[in-house]
Amino acid sequence: MFTAPLVRSGAAISLAVTILLTTPVAAADEVNVYSYRQPFLIKPMFDLFTKETGIEVNTVFAKKGLVERLESEGANSPADLIFTVDVGNLSSAVEAGVTQSVSSDTLAANIPAEFRDQDGHWFGLTNRARIIVTSKERVPEGEITSYEDLAKPMYEGRICTRSGKHVYMNALFASMIAHHGEEDARAWLTGLKDNLARAPQGNDRAQVKAISEGECDIAIINSYYMGAMQTNEEQFEWAASVNIVFPNQSDRGTHMNIAGMSLTAASPNKENAVKLMEFLSSDLAQAMYAEQNHEYPVNQSVQPSALVRSWGEFDHDPLPLSELVEHRVTASKMVDEVGYDG
Ligand code: FE
């Protein structure tokens, strides 16, 4: 009864010995990741990847300094992949010269063109919508339908946002420049600035808290923070005080950003790294990934989580993020020019 398996494992052992004798040690089945994203967001997918492929994923997590680390390690860097949020951060890594291009039919099929670099230097893994939230008590439902509405004089002293220099705001402002041109975008930003209830401060969730406390009526935040607050006992009330608006449904669609990945310039395990990238864009990994942080799967054949679906469907702005990146510096200058941060 045990004969067949024994024979088979015997064959496997001799095969393993052969490989050991003929393959250099450096070809260990591993891939090394530098990540700004927190472990709980990506570890479950890495574990599944290891289970399916036998390739170990070693991860260094840090809040900052990983691009600088890649720069100083240069050609000797052990890292294969870098994970971060926001196209602004991804393009900063490209500008620093620490990434390389990947050409993969699987990635091209799984990730829509607007959510990956046209030169293959970065790929989106999850999507977040930059939504508007409005006070249930003080803003009639349906009154605000677009980012452009936020510059209307009727909202003077009623809007809260984080710093205009933050990457999330910078990308939104860059998209306004891409769609309207510099002059109109500046007029809009001036109008928005004039409508602020207070000098920009705090993170996205702090703006929703301010609405719940009556300090302002309207805020701009990333969509997944609604999920984070809705599932947090202490913050549930903040989220319950606002309606979600997916802006610009009658024209270009809602501004989106990504969390994504790049292959490093010096990647020593390139083949394994591309395998991991492709795995993370697959239906299975995408479904897991989207559950972790209330984000939208970048792979359009995968559904968002039930909680995220409960917010409703919407159309997103198809402007390629790589086009938006070109306006980052102008957007940042504009923030200074109009004195957005006070
Ligand atoms: Fe965030």
Side-chain angles (χ1 to χ4, degrees), residues 37 85 128 130 162 166 168 204-205 222 224-225 293:
R37 297 222 85 185
V85 298
R128 53 275 301 283
R130 196 94 185 122
R162 73 193 309 161
H166 190 273
Y168 299 165
D204 279 359
R205 273 185 268 199
N222 276 357
Y224 54 87
Y225 289 119
N293 195 34

Side-chain angles (χ1 to χ4, degrees), residues 5-206:
L6 279 173
V7 167
R8 244 183 274 147
S9 65
I13 286 165
S14 65
L15 186 68
V17 169
T18 314
I19 290 170
L20 208 65
L21 292 174
T22 55
T23 313
V25 182
D29 266 348
E30 63 175 13
V31 55
N32 300 317
V33 171
Y34 283 4
S35 177
Y36 288 112
R37 297 222 85 185
Q38 300 162 67
F40 82 95
L41 292 173
I42 47 180
K43 184 85 169 42
M45 279 81 73
F46 289 173
D47 289 346
L48 186 62
F49 174 73
T50 302
K51 212 172 140 196
E52 290 202 347
T53 63
I55 300 168
E56 292 291 335
V57 184
N58 309 309
T59 315
V60 173
F61 294 100
K63 283 204 165 153
K64 51 177 95 170
L66 291 177
V67 169
E68 292 75 8
R69 182 164 166 176
L70 285 171
E71 281 181 294
S72 68
E73 287 170 346
N76 298 319
S77 176
D80 298 293
L81 293 168
I82 180 162
F83 285 72
T84 187
V85 298
D86 207 280
V87 69
N89 293 328
L90 289 161
S91 59
S92 292
V94 177
E95 284 158 20
V98 298
T99 63
Q100 67 171 297
S101 175
V102 173
S103 170
S104 153
D105 291 344
T106 303
L107 291 173
N110 288 344
I111 305 173
E114 61 267 37
F115 299 131
R116 54 184 157 84
D117 179 30
Q118 51 203 6
D119 298 323
H121 279 263
W122 48 259
F123 295 84
L125 277 174
T126 53
N127 277 332
R128 53 275 301 283
R130 196 94 185 122
I131 58 174
I132 297 171
V133 291
T134 60
S135 165
K136 280 180 184 167
E137 280 175 15
R138 300 180 296 279
V139 181
E141 223 172 317
E143 189 180 88
I144 291 177
T145 61
S146 68
Y147 300 110
E148 286 76 4
D149 282 345
L150 300 178
K152 288 180 177 171
M154 67 188 285
Y155 299 119
E156 189 183 347
R158 299 174 64 187
I159 301 177
C160 282
T161 77
R162 73 193 309 161
S163 164
K165 288 288 195 178
H166 190 273
V167 281
Y168 299 165
M169 298 303 286
N170 179 257
L172 173 63
F173 297 163
S175 85
M176 293 300 283
I177 296 170
H179 286 296
H180 293 292
E182 216 176 307
E183 202 179 313
D184 286 358
R186 182 180 289 103
W188 172 80
L189 188 63
T190 304
L192 173 59
K193 190 239 160 191
D194 290 344
N195 288 341
L196 292 177
R198 58 180 190 180
Q201 58 195 269
N203 56 22
D204 279 359
R205 273 185 268 199

Side-chain angles (χ1 to χ4, degrees), residues 49 78 127 129 142 199 226 228 292 298:
F49 174 73
N127 277 332
M226 280 303 287
Q292 307 292 325
V298 75

Side-chain angles (χ1 to χ4, degrees), residues 251-272:
D251 45 63
R252 65 182 180 273
T254 298
H255 168 65
M256 305 292 281
N257 212 312
I258 52 172
M261 58 187 173
S262 292
L263 183 67
T264 64
S267 169
N269 307 290
K270 188 173 163 181
E271 205 178 305
N272 290 345

Side-chain angles (χ1 to χ4, degrees), residues 201-215:
Q201 58 195 269
N203 56 22
D204 279 359
R205 273 185 268 199
Q207 316 312 318
V208 185
K209 179 170 184 269
I211 292 177
S212 76
E213 291 168 349
E215 203 175 345

